[in-house]
Amino acid sequence: MTERKPNLFERVGATTFDLFHNTFYAFGFFWNVLGETFRFRSRSRVSTQVLVMQILFTGVNALFIITLIAVSLGTVIIFYGNQITTLVSTNFVYTILITVITRELGPLLTAFIVMARSGVAIATEISSMVVTHEIEAYLAVGINPISYLVVPRFLGVTLSMVALNLYFNLSGLAASYLVAQFFHPIPANEYFGQLMTQLTPTAVASSVVKSLAFGFVISMVSTLNGFRAQQSTTEIPIIVIRAVGQGFALLIVVNILITLVFPR
Amino acid sequence: MRFRIRFAQQVVGFFILAALATLVVVLILMGLNQRWFDRGYSFYSRFQSADGLTPGMPIHLRGFEIGKVTSVDLNSNNRVNVVLQIYSEYYDKIKPNSVLELEQGTFGIGGGLNLLPGKNLLPPMEPDSFLPSTDTLLGKNLLAQGLVDQPANNDQMSAILAEVQTTLSGVNLLLNNVNSAIDGTSNNQLTGLLQGVNATLRSLDSVLTESAHGLVPNLSAITANLAKLSAQLQDPKGLIPKLLDPKGSLATILNDNNQLYNEVQSILDQVNQTLVQVRGLTQYLNQSTPQITGVIEDTRTTLKKADDVMTGLANNPLLKGGIPEKKPQNATFHDLRDEDF
């Protein structure tokens, strides 16, 4: 006897049900992670060691590529910005630098790099652990995989994102100053003084909040998708691709929302 | 073990602490540069419109930022109240009779308020007092009376206008040079050029004069001949009256009782008869063409048969050599197509 093919209504209903189920599951997962995060300090030193290693891999090891991108971005902005500002206003280049590096592209580019490096690594690692029944082994010996695996990664990625974003800003703005010396020399105190004058607390707050939110998004999307693996290693690449796609999409959406929330 | 792994805690600690330290330093520098801890001195002003006015916009004095706009509000008289904060460092610059003017940035970017300080050595105005703007009557009066220290404009438009002024001066100088060159009072290249043109025109004039000396006698002779011909035509005893004279030769020839006309008529009749005959001959030939064609075709067939008979006779061994050779005679008709090239 052949199985009956579901009709359109049944398929739409099933898809909607899956969507709701996944959303509620994700919220439950986030809630569980947040609860375990507050209990992180009381956990054993092993989790702290995982956190340290996560910051090392996500933050310290990504510092070079982040700096490189920041330097190139700062160079481009000061080069073209100077041509524009000769027509508009001498101080306008500082506004461009702060808007592009501090408020918008700094946090977003950093998040893309972290998602591409650490997000992928986390999703792969956790899905492999699920497939090889390591998660079941943790549960069998009474270790909560959320507190031992997810929370250090969540904290590590989020802290690394904030730190990397600060280094991105520092590198980009310093590189702009250095490049400017080649075609339009500016005294250091004048350049950084003007930057500090134009930099508003709102811009700094927006940047820090974005990096915190992006860290949260990257770690949650990566770990949640990692746990979706079932039993086959062939699922791992699919899960990783899905995690990266969801991660990038969510990062852009969150970036737009935060930009709209923080006034200029 | 790699350094980073071995000293992971120290590396990560430095990584995080350095980032936090950077953030703290940036916040402190921002506070110092933006005078977060400087309460400053408050003043207020009034404008006709809030266009171009925003809270937080800077107040400049000769390019230096001396304060900020704190708030912009619409009052009960539909005028715009603006509250300012002047930094403590620049408080002594707020002299009586000072006026505020709105500085429009290029493309709407980088605007602000300009403080035009009063021209006096009086002590600064009291805090929270009224600073007139250029929109108010008081501000306009202070400017008109020359009580305000107004710097020369140094914006982009002023620079463009200065360039235009320089260009116009250059054009004026050029026109003066052209004028003096035309007058011949100057000694520049244009004067030399004009003098050269003048000399060329003189040479041309002399050439034309010399040529005219040669042409004029010829023209005079032609004109004299025409006059003579005209006089002859108008002469009552000249050619025309002779031709029209009833006793003249022409009249005598024509006055012969139509004899000449009749002879000409008979000649034309004969020509006409000849043409009729030619037409009849042509029609006969046209009608006889098929028969002529048949005769020619029969003749051709007969000649072909005769040729065959002659060939047979020539090949007959009994008669071979019996026919004497004839010396070929060239045709007298000679066509140009037969020529060898």
Side-chain angles (χ1 to χ4, degrees), chain B residues 127-272:
Chain B
D128 297 320
S129 55
F130 176 68
L131 263 176
S133 74
T134 50
D135 282 6
T136 59
L137 189 62
L138 178 59
K140 287 174 184 169
N141 285 337
L142 289 171
L143 286 169
Q145 290 165 19
L147 298 173
V148 182
D149 182 12
Q150 280 184 285
N153 273 338
N154 196 26
D155 58 3
Q156 295 282 337
M157 283 307 293
S158 301
I160 292 166
L161 288 173
E163 285 293 324
V164 170
Q165 183 66 32
T166 311
T167 310
L168 287 175
S169 300
V171 171
N172 193 30
L173 183 66
L174 178 67
L175 289 173
N176 282 334
N177 283 337
V178 171
N179 195 26
S180 57
I182 291 168
D183 287 347
T185 52
S186 70
N187 194 23
N188 55 24
Q189 288 183 339
L190 187 60
T191 309
L193 180 68
L194 288 172
Q195 285 172 350
V197 171
N198 196 22
T200 308
L201 287 172
R202 282 179 187 160
S203 303
L204 185 64
D205 185 48
S206 64
V207 168
L208 288 174
T209 307
E210 286 173 12
S211 302
H213 284 307
L215 286 171
V216 168
N218 293 335
L219 286 171
S220 301
I222 293 167
T223 310
N225 288 335
L226 285 172
K228 194 174 176 181
L229 177 64
S230 179
Q232 284 178 354
L233 288 173
Q234 288 175 354
D235 186 4
K237 294 178 182 178
L239 181 64
I240 300 299
K242 283 177 182 172
L243 286 173
L244 296 174
D245 186 9
K247 293 177 181 176
S249 317
L250 190 60
T252 308
I253 291 167
L254 293 174
N255 192 13
D256 57 352
N257 290 328
N258 291 337
Q259 189 180 347
L260 181 60
Y261 171 78
N262 291 334
E263 284 183 8
V264 171
Q265 184 68 34
S266 67
I267 291 165
L268 288 174
D269 287 342
Q270 286 172 4
V271 169
N272 192 28

Side-chain angles (χ1 to χ4, degrees), chain A residues 52 61 92 166-167 196-197 199, chain B residues 4 15 18-19 30 34 109:
Chain A
V52 168
N61 288 354
F92 190 53
L166 286 168
Y167 287 122
M196 292 302 122
T197 306
L199 190 63
Chain B
R4 279 185 189 172
F15 175 75
M30 277 172 63
Q34 297 177 19
I109 299 166

